[in-house]
Amino acid sequence: MARSKKDMVALLGQVGLFEGLSRRELESILAAGKEIRHGEDHDIVEEGATGVGFHLILEGEADVLVGGVPRGKLRSGDYFGEMSLLDGGPRSATVRRVTPVRTLALTSWAFMPLLEKMPSIARKLLVEMSKRLRQVEDSLRH
C-alpha cells in the first residue's frame, strides 16, 4: 500500500531520534531516503555486521533476534538502525522478515551531508541523544 508524503513525514516524526524536527526538516530526511522492498529469505540486517543506516518499516512484519534468540517483532511504523545511522557501528541484532517488508532506508552517506546542510537537524539530534544518555544514567543509579 503506497503512503502519501504527508503520511511518510508523520511516520518519520514518530521516530524517537527525529522528535522535535520541523516538517521541513522531516521532508528533507524523507527526500534523502529510499524505499526498499526486502525479498524472500533475506535478513534485512545481520547482528554484528557493519551498520550503514536506518530503516523505518512501511509495510510488513519482521522478527528481531539477538544471538539467534527472538527478542521482538517489528511492524509498520517501527524502526531500527538509528544508532548505525550516526556511528556506523555494528548491528546489535538481526532483523529477519516474516512477511514481505517495505522500508524507508536512510544511509549514513545520504544523511551526513544533510546534517551539514541543515545544522538545525544536528542540534536537535544532539538534544535527543543527550536525553537518551541521561535516561540510561538514571536507570543505572536506581
Side-chain angles (χ1 to χ4, degrees), residues 116-134:
E116 291 176 20
K117 182 179 170 186
M118 299 181 78
S120 61
I121 294 175
R123 281 191 300 276
K124 290 173 183 176
L125 293 181
L126 285 171
V127 169
E128 180 59 31
M129 296 305 294
S130 293
K131 280 189 213 174
R132 288 180 179 202
L133 182 56
R134 286 182 192 277

Side-chain angles (χ1 to χ4, degrees), residues 68-136:
V69 177
R71 298 291 182 164
K73 290 211 177 283
L74 299 173
R75 294 176 181 84
S76 180
D78 292 329
Y79 55 90
F80 57 93
E82 67 271 28
M83 302 309 290
S84 292
L85 180 64
L86 299 174
D87 71 3
R91 299 290 185 181
S92 59
T94 294
V95 177
R96 181 168 295 150
R97 60 182 292 293
V98 174
T99 66
V101 172
R102 197 167 47 94
T103 66
L104 174 67
L106 183 61
T107 61
S108 57
W109 56 84
F111 187 65
M112 290 304 168
L114 183 60
L115 294 182
E116 291 176 20
K117 182 179 170 186
M118 299 181 78
S120 61
I121 294 175
R123 281 191 300 276
K124 290 173 183 176
L125 293 181
L126 285 171
V127 169
E128 180 59 31
M129 296 305 294
S130 293
K131 280 189 213 174
R132 288 180 179 202
L133 182 56
R134 286 182 192 277
Q135 288 171 346
V136 169

